[in-house]
Amino acid sequence: MTTREAVETHRARGLRRLGRHLHRHIPYYRHVDPARPDSWPVIDKAELLANFAAMNRAGIPLDAVRDALAAGESRIAGHAIGHSTGTSGNRGYFVVSDAERYVWLGTLLAKALPDALWRRHRVALALPGFSRLYGAAGGGSRVMLGLFDLGEGLDRWAGRFATFAPDTIVAPPKVLRELALRGLIARGTTAFSAAEVLDPVDVPVIEAATGRPLRQIYMATEGLLGVSCAHGTLHLAEDVVAFEWEAAGGGLVQPIVTDMTRRAQAMVRYRMNDLLRLDPRACACGSALQAVAAVEGRCDDLFVLPGAAGSVTVTPDVLRNAVIDADRRIDDFRIVQTGAAAIAVAIPPGADAAAVEAGLTRALARIGARAAITVTHGIPPTDATKLRRVRRDWRGDQSSMSAV
């Protein structure tokens, strides 16, 4: 789609079709006006889990999904099931039909590999949960999929990965970085960062290995949300998802998403926890789909610090940029709010701790915030699920919190 008018027309048509389906087949939405998407309730994870059976067409209860997954099963009542990594404290669960798996995979491949109609590809998927769920749909005659389970650990499948020799990789940035450092990514490979926030420190390491610009795939339990074009711009998947926005401060927005393609389980006006910085500029690729300057983090990781006039909310990009800019030798870090006015920072050995402390202090002062900053050398081991370099552990209701 090359004009915003076309995007909006497509969105209106998709929401009308979805409204009719919700009204007829999804009990939770039986009493809503199918022609008034703006009147449909805005929900969050707690609401979805509390009404799980009423939000899927087959009436599958949440406990049945949990029990099946705990028993190692991936299907129930003719549907594929799965869950999120649960890094925000509680897992999200989902139900999808086989047809929806093909739609998801087809949409992803069409956006990421538009030349797949005339060129064969070997695509490695190394993603938490998604590999098993959607990889089972297969890749077609021109796309061979290799599935690599992050839960097993990279060491378990590194040899198989090398033998598979992918020309395209979709993986979290921490995995792409590790593969690059081990020399397992061939030059000329197209790499897509997915499933985690892409921090600037990871980009040069990965691009040095591939010799190509690093691209992104923005997806979550809620669905496929965006894919970078060949120019490197992350475009939202507005052809399949309707987006609404809530201001989150600091120029960031929080998305409310409606997947217009899902029929087995409703994902309608779902308030996500993500923080995005939208890009108002037109992309050279010609697409009118909304561009995203950065996926900055999660609302859970907004720091709340004291200031002269009360509490000040600090966005992850402010903290991240202050640390990276303090010393160019910093190629990894952790920033954690550990108390009401306390921040713990971990940086690599040899990096300038004093410069980091001074840089963070200045950055906070510019927005009227203050905190006691502790800087230590040595990066703690990476979590087995999602890497969060900026993390708020302090919640205001605990006497002591974990540090880095």
Side-chain angles (χ1 to χ4, degrees):
M1 285 179 266
T2 58
T3 68
R4 285 306 301 177
E5 181 181 6
V7 173
E8 296 301 330
T9 299
H10 177 83
R11 168 193 166 108
R13 188 182 301 119
L15 289 174
R16 283 196 299 271
R17 287 195 296 265
L18 177 62
R20 292 192 292 269
H21 172 80
L22 294 174
H23 186 66
R24 294 170 183 168
H25 302 296
I26 308 295
Y28 185 87
Y29 295 97
R30 288 276 165 79
H31 304 295
V32 304
D33 184 344
R36 288 281 313 282
D38 59 334
S39 70
W40 302 346
V42 176
I43 65 168
D44 56 16
K45 185 185 292 185
E47 180 74 6
L48 187 151
L49 295 180
N51 296 276
F52 194 87
M55 286 191 181
N56 70 79
R57 185 173 183 175
I60 301 170
L62 178 59
D63 286 345
V65 172
R66 285 174 168 157
D67 291 345
L69 290 170
E73 300 172 11
S74 60
R75 297 184 66 83
I76 187 171
H79 293 75
I81 55 175
H83 58 65
S84 65
T85 56
T87 53
S88 60
N90 61 325
R91 293 186 184 277
Y93 293 83
F94 51 91
V95 172
V96 296
S97 68
D98 288 336
E100 288 167 340
R101 291 195 296 171
Y102 281 103
V103 168
W104 183 92
L105 187 63
T107 302
L108 173 60
L109 293 177
K111 290 177 178 292
L113 302 173
D115 62 349
L117 289 176
W118 61 87
R119 179 185 171 192
R120 297 183 185 278
H121 287 278
R122 299 173 67 83
V123 181
L125 292 177
L127 297 166
F130 290 97
S131 297
R132 292 187 301 277
L133 178 62
Y134 293 108
S141 60
R142 294 195 170 273
V143 178
M144 180 178 293
L145 294 180
L147 310 179
F148 302 92
D149 189 349
L150 295 187
E152 295 179 0
L154 192 152
D155 290 336
R156 293 283 299 275
W157 48 259
R160 183 164 58 88
F161 179 91
T163 301
F164 182 68
D167 60 61
T168 304
I169 307 171
V170 182
K174 70 179 180 191
V175 175
L176 292 173
R177 179 183 177 123
E178 182 62 24
L179 289 170
L181 292 173
R182 295 189 185 196
L184 292 174
I185 298 181
R187 197 155 185 83
T189 299
T190 298
F192 286 90
S193 167
E196 286 178 0
V197 172
L198 175 61
D199 284 315
V201 295
D202 293 322
V203 176
V205 177
I206 300 166
E207 290 185 343
T210 64
R212 308 185 69 174
L214 176 62
R215 296 166 65 180
Q216 294 186 69
I217 293 175
Y218 178 32
M219 60 185 175
T221 311
E222 295 76 29
L224 176 65
L225 304 174
V227 179
S228 290
C229 68
H231 291 264
T233 302
L234 177 60
H235 291 278
L236 294 177
E238 294 182 286
D239 46 346
V240 291
V241 177
F243 291 85
E244 301 170 73
W245 307 105
E246 291 183 341
L252 302 181
V253 292
Q254 183 177 0
I256 297 173
V257 300
T258 298
D259 192 316
M260 297 181 291
T261 68
R262 290 177 67 166
R263 295 294 184 265
Q265 179 186 30
M267 190 59 65
V268 174
R269 302 197 82 190
Y270 182 94
R271 180 183 286 109
M272 296 183 63
N273 200 24
D274 292 353
L275 295 169
L276 276 62
R277 189 176 301 280
L278 302 181
D279 191 340
R281 297 171 298 178
C283 180
C285 74
S287 173
L289 300 177
Q290 175 66 56
V292 176
V295 181
E296 296 286 7
R298 310 182 325 173
C299 291
D300 286 349
D301 294 324
L302 290 166
F303 283 23
V304 181
L305 298 169
S311 62
V312 178
T313 299
V314 186
T315 58
D317 56 314
V318 170
L319 303 158
R320 183 184 297 116
N321 292 338
V323 169
I324 294 173
D325 293 343
D327 186 341
R328 63 176 135 186
R329 292 172 296 181
I330 295 176
D331 62 357
D332 199 0
F333 60 88
R334 304 289 186 273
I335 311 171
V336 183
Q337 182 174 359
T338 57
I343 296 176
V345 184
I347 57 177
D352 192 334
V356 168
E357 182 179 353
L360 267 175
T361 300
R362 287 194 301 270
L364 294 177
R366 282 195 293 269
I367 58 175
R370 64 179 186 274
I373 299 167
T374 303
V375 183
T376 58
H377 289 101
I379 306 297
T382 299
D383 186 279
T385 52
K386 290 188 178 182
L387 172 60
R388 293 158 60 199
R389 286 192 171 97
V390 181
R391 190 179 77 243
R392 177 161 64 98
D393 279 359
W394 180 79
R395 299 294 166 186
D397 57 351
Q398 299 180 15
S399 57
S400 63
M401 300 296 299
S402 61
V404 180

